[in-house]
Amino acid sequence: MTKHDVCDVVIIGAGPAGAIAASMLVQQGWNTIVVERETFPRFSIGESLLPHCMEFVEQAGMLDALNANAEKLGFQFKNGAAFFRNGERSDFDFEDKFSPGPGTTFQVKRAAFDKLLADEAEKLGAQIRYQHTVEEVVSNDDGATLIISTAQEKYQLKTRFVLDASGFGRVLPRLLDLNVASDLPPRKAVFTHFKDNIPADAHFDRQKILITVHPQIEDLWYWLIPFSDGTSSLGVVARPELFNDDQALEEQLLAYIAQDTNLKELLKNAEILQPAKMIGGYAANVKSLFGPSYALLGNAGEFLDPVFSSGVTIAMRSAVSAAGLVTRQLNGEQVDWQADYADGLKKGIDVFKTFVTSWYDTSFQNVIFFQAEGSEIKPMITSILAGYAWDDNNPFVKNAHRGIRMLTKLCEAD
Ligand code: FAD
């Protein structure tokens, strides 16, 4: 190992968290190297964004590029979420939310979206080393040393700070023994992309993600995420035992679609574009979101569940927050990572967790399908569905448990 590179910040992974953090840091003048084991574009799951994440795209200086390229890349303008269960439908328009901030966003093919963000980070001055894999990390209060491998060599990278944005790769949790089990039960998702051929006159709003609850199995749900080029992403999420290891994934996916009359009708002319994939065991947690000269971003820290499409928003929020703190620390300020990073980030994650848990025990599903006339509460729920889980002015953020309990009683009394 002959090569020894030195920089201010190393970021592991060039997904949304890594690209946003890199952009913020280079704009503060820090020499930032992103180490990414794949070449982009590469597939990633997580295609429905939430409006709150547009604030972070803007802060990173990438909003103009996103808006300018959205149509060309098949990104679908998104203004809300629609829910369907046994003939009941409930729509949430994000523009009607309680919290301030953007009310629209996109549904994106992640290969193209992640490449766009990474390319923008490079244009702003970040160095991205594709096909470089982080193998080892040793960190202390003065900085960190990483061992990186490529097809040709292994080399050392010395840095003042490391941000782990390695997503499901969970590099630092693995290498530094930070992993702890999530308290959410395990689930699996099977998914693919279709040329959907959904007729223009169908009762289907392409500007919204459609979440469908299985007609009999209340904790099994489907996503249908349309893109603007006539294709859609469709996935089924369920307890692991509801998938059969011996049956082809595509067969299982089509069988579940056929069990819901609305999805069956919408997708009756659909053509599958790629082999179905499965991902499982994705809920994860860590002992700590930071340590000496490192912090964990996005999925490398805690990941909950896909039902409210919160993953990319949490990833980007963590990136912006950590980048600001790294700047302060590198400038010689004392940073309280627990109070200023972990506690703040965790607050919103815990709000999402309350809603995720009550989705699966069906209490929040009942709230979603409860149609209260002129309800003052709906904008507050809409805010959370739009990603604004850190807005303390929203009573459902301030005390999510109490909010859900109160709504459940309201629905039962009706
Ligand atoms: P990633 O986007 O995963 O990026 C991590 C990068 O790190 C990768 O490019 C990887 O190659 C690289 N890497 C890994 N290991 C190494 C290494 N050793 N060295 C160098 N590089 C490395 N979120 C949403 O917002 N909306 C959704 O609709 C949604 N749907 C989902 C559906 C499912 C079934 C699941 C499981 C998740 C879903 N998510 C969704 C969550 C979303 O996938 C993640 O939250 C998001 O991709 C996290 O971004 P990230 O930047 O943290 O990590």
Side-chain angles (χ1 to χ4, degrees):
M1 215 167 10
T2 49
K3 206 164 111 187
H4 298 264
D5 288 350
V6 179
C7 65
D8 293 318
V9 187
V10 169
I11 298 175
I12 310 172
I20 295 278
S23 305
M24 303 294 293
L25 287 162
V26 290
Q27 289 178 82
Q28 290 297 320
W30 304 114
N31 176 1
T32 304
I33 297 179
V34 184
V35 181
E36 167 57 57
R37 84 178 158 197
E38 308 281 338
T39 41
F40 279 20
R42 55 94 180 91
F43 177 83
S44 184
I45 191 71
E47 296 150 323
S48 193
L49 305 181
L50 300 181
H52 184 36
C53 85
M54 303 302 272
E55 293 184 306
F56 308 122
V57 175
E58 184 170 22
Q59 283 171 41
M62 299 173 169
L63 189 57
D64 289 347
L66 174 56
N67 285 328
N69 288 286
E71 200 179 320
K72 185 178 77 188
L73 297 174
F75 299 168
Q76 170 65 54
F77 173 82
K78 174 183 173 187
N79 64 10
F83 294 85
F84 193 90
R85 182 178 71 177
N86 269 329
E88 288 178 287
R89 193 187 156 99
S90 184
D91 283 10
F92 288 78
D93 283 306
F94 291 156
E95 297 275 27
D96 298 337
K97 65 190 164 40
F98 169 87
S99 305
T104 64
T105 184
F106 293 103
Q107 318 208 110
V108 297
K109 297 185 186 182
R110 283 288 301 278
F113 178 71
D114 289 13
K115 178 159 172 36
L116 177 99
L117 298 189
D119 288 352
E120 288 304 304
E122 273 186 319
K123 281 185 208 158
L124 289 164
Q127 189 192 133
I128 304 185
R129 297 184 175 178
Y130 290 105
Q131 290 187 301
H132 287 227
T133 302
V134 174
E135 305 279 8
E136 289 171 47
V137 179
V138 177
S139 85
N140 58 41
D141 287 338
D142 300 324
T145 304
L146 295 90
I147 309 290
I148 316 283
S149 71
T150 69
Q152 291 78 35
E153 61 172 349
K154 268 194 181 191
Y155 68 95
Q156 254 188 24
L157 194 46
K158 284 189 187 295
T159 185
R160 297 172 69 192
F161 207 92
V162 185
L163 290 175
D164 184 0
S166 62
F168 297 114
R170 305 185 65 74
V171 171
L172 290 188
R174 234 177 342 100
L175 296 177
L176 304 182
D177 192 23
L178 301 172
N179 275 315
V180 290
S182 169
D183 45 16
L184 295 172
R187 295 180 200 278
K188 283 184 173 176
V190 174
F191 51 92
T192 191
H193 281 186
F194 290 92
K195 184 172 187 318
D196 58 63
N197 295 319
I198 298 174
D201 60 354
H203 188 24
F204 178 60
D205 182 352
R206 294 196 77 89
Q207 300 188 344
K208 293 183 173 59
I209 183 174
L210 173 64
I211 304 284
T212 301
V213 180
H214 188 278
Q216 285 90 37
I217 310 167
E218 291 169 319
D219 62 349
L220 185 154
W221 61 275
Y222 314 71
W223 76 73
L224 180 57
I225 300 175
F227 304 114
S228 67
D229 59 0
T231 65
S232 286
S233 166
L234 183 131
V236 179
V237 178
R239 281 171 271 135
E241 63 269 26
L242 294 176
F243 295 108
N244 180 349
D245 289 344
D246 300 326
Q247 196 184 358
L249 294 178
E250 183 175 314
E251 252 176 58
Q252 298 185 64
L253 190 62
L254 294 176
Y256 275 127
I257 292 171
Q259 289 167 20
D260 180 79
T261 44
N262 185 53
L263 282 179
K264 187 179 168 190
E265 177 63 20
L266 284 176
L267 295 172
K268 65 183 176 201
N269 299 319
E271 300 157 48
I272 287 196
L273 292 174
Q274 50 187 239
K277 294 188 175 73
M278 173 179 277
I279 180 168
Y282 38 73
N285 206 348
V286 280
K287 288 175 199 158
S288 172
L289 285 171
F290 64 93
S293 306
Y294 73 81
L296 311 180
L297 308 183
N299 269 32
E302 184 169 7
F303 182 72
L304 301 173
D305 187 272
V307 67
F308 300 124
S309 308
S310 56
V312 171
T313 297
I314 293 170
M316 289 186 176
R317 192 177 167 107
S318 68
V320 168
S321 167
L325 295 172
V326 169
T327 291
R328 281 175 44 197
Q329 181 155 324
L330 297 188
N331 280 331
E333 274 184 58
Q334 190 71 33
V335 172
D336 182 344
W337 282 88
Q338 184 62 45
D340 296 343
Y341 181 64
D343 291 348
L345 190 64
K346 189 91 178 98
K347 194 176 77 177
I349 295 177
D350 284 347
V351 170
F352 280 122
K353 190 186 263 177
T354 304
F355 280 79
V356 166
T357 306
S358 56
W359 169 266
Y360 285 106
D361 73 19
T362 74
S363 51
F364 188 56
Q365 288 182 27
N366 296 335
V367 171
I368 292 264
F369 291 102
F370 180 69
Q371 310 282 351
E373 286 300 317
S375 161
E376 283 174 12
I377 288 164
K378 190 164 183 182
M380 297 170 184
I381 300 294
T382 305
S383 264
I384 295 182
L385 295 176
Y388 295 91
W390 288 264
D391 176 7
D392 265 337
N393 292 320
N394 185 346
F396 288 88
V397 168
K398 214 168 166 58
N399 196 332
H401 283 288
R402 197 174 58 201
I404 297 277
R405 270 201 311 275
M406 186 265 287
L407 285 178
T408 305
K409 279 194 189 130
L410 206 74
C411 298
E412 283 166 1
D414 191 61

